[in-house]
Amino acid sequence: MLFPNVAVTRGIAVRVAVSYLAEQSDPSSSRWFWSYHVRVENGSDVAVQLLSRNWKIVDGRGTVHEVQGEGVVGEMPLIAPGASFDYVSGCPLDTPTGTMSGSYRMVDEDGSAFDIDIPRFQLLSA
């Protein structure tokens, strides 16, 4: 399966695939790096816009890192019914394992804001 991690909220699916990037990692310097590909699929009947993100990144020691900000990869995409938006980003850690999860703040055509879940996924270097 291309996107093994899935969460659906209000008909909007967030799918995530993660890859460990050995060529960008340097375990001898306590640096491990992953890329993750996110697809947001609008299965609802109205257009929605992604306004912001809230990530919870937990490293292999259990330390929690919160990342919040506007949009994703510099965009605040408007996603029509039946359409999807894809982007790729990355996450460095100083441990060889971790997890990520979170939420996106969305707004619909009526101006109603709501949060959708980003599925929890594993960051594994082996």
Side-chain angles (χ1 to χ4, degrees), residues 9-69:
T9 309
R10 292 179 57 162
I12 302 166
V14 178
R15 303 180 186 278
V16 183
V18 63
S19 300
Y20 172 63
L21 300 181
E23 66 280 4
Q24 293 185 33
S25 300
D26 184 4
S28 66
S29 298
S30 295
R31 178 179 162 82
W32 290 266
F33 195 83
W34 294 263
S35 72
Y36 54 91
H37 180 167
V38 177
R39 176 172 293 162
V40 181
E41 298 174 344
N42 185 359
S44 75
D45 296 330
V46 297
V48 295
Q49 184 173 19
L50 192 159
L51 298 178
S52 63
R53 66 194 184 282
N54 184 345
W55 285 102
K56 178 181 174 185
I57 305 165
V58 182
D59 69 20
R61 290 184 289 276
T63 304
V64 177
H65 308 270
E66 295 268 351
V67 178
Q68 299 177 356

Side-chain angles (χ1 to χ4, degrees), residues 3 5-16 37-44 48 50 79-80 82-87 104 106 114-119:
F3 294 96
N5 306 284
V6 183
V8 180
T9 309
R10 292 179 57 162
I12 302 166
V14 178
R15 303 180 186 278
V16 183
H37 180 167
V38 177
R39 176 172 293 162
V40 181
E41 298 174 344
N42 185 359
S44 75
V48 295
L50 192 159
I79 309 168
S84 63
F85 176 80
D86 285 63
Y87 75 95
Y104 295 124
M106 310 294 284
F114 59 97
D115 293 329
I116 62 171
D117 292 330
I118 301 168

